[in-house]
Amino acid sequence: MGEIATSERQITLYYSSKSTRAKQTLAYAKAEGLPIHEIDILKVTLTGTQIVELADKLNIEVKDLVNQEHPSYKTHFDHHEFSTDDWIKMIRHNPEIMKQPIALRGEMTILVETPTDIIKI
């Protein structure tokens, strides 16, 4: 049993309040009347377990949760192979580098590429 609680009745959205795509996704979801539980990753520090669980739910490795094209990543890190623990620490200390928004509903989890993706869940 993981740390992330999901429900069929609402969508849990992990997002960055600085992300244009996340803001558009939230606005679209609210306009559609979707029940959203918001988790701003810039305000709520994710645990290592939550980060691993999000990656597992997306069927990707933790390193694939990192947006290596993000300016903050390019400023602070070089392209290297890191351990899973290192990737977790990088996300925990620099949450803006995590790919997002991530939407969860029940057993379904998606990485939102465009704001309208939210209706797929």
Side-chain angles (χ1 to χ4, degrees):
M1 180 76 180
E3 285 190 16
I4 298 174
T6 60
S7 168
E8 291 291 341
R9 296 185 194 162
Q10 74 176 4
I11 297 168
T12 302
L13 189 69
Y14 288 84
Y15 72 99
S16 164
S17 52
K18 290 185 179 176
S19 163
T20 301
R21 184 180 340 147
K23 290 176 192 172
Q24 292 170 342
T25 300
L26 268 174
Y28 184 82
K30 289 178 180 178
E32 290 293 314
L34 299 173
I36 300 285
H37 173 67
E38 302 174 30
I39 300 176
D40 184 349
I41 61 172
L42 299 182
K43 295 178 181 168
V44 177
T45 303
L46 299 177
T47 66
T49 303
Q50 288 171 318
I51 293 166
V52 169
E53 201 173 331
L54 284 171
D56 286 348
K57 287 178 178 290
L58 289 167
N59 294 315
I60 62 174
E61 293 181 42
V62 172
K63 71 178 183 179
D64 297 325
L65 270 180
V66 175
N67 177 0
Q68 295 185 25
E69 297 305 312
H70 192 282
S72 185
Y73 179 88
K74 288 181 174 183
T75 301
H76 294 89
F77 308 103
D78 292 324
H79 286 282
H80 289 298
E81 282 302 312
F82 296 104
S83 71
T84 299
D85 285 342
D86 290 336
W87 288 112
I88 291 168
K89 288 175 190 165
M90 290 166 64
I91 293 170
R92 292 199 70 221
H93 296 291
N94 306 277
E96 68 278 1
I97 68 172
M98 188 170 98
K99 290 180 183 175
Q100 49 74 40
I102 298 172
L104 295 87
R105 181 182 228 168
E107 294 298 312
M108 198 170 170
T109 304
I110 62 168
L111 179 61
V112 177
E113 299 289 341
T114 63
T116 55
D117 285 351
I118 197 77
I119 61 173
K120 294 178 184 174
I121 198 161

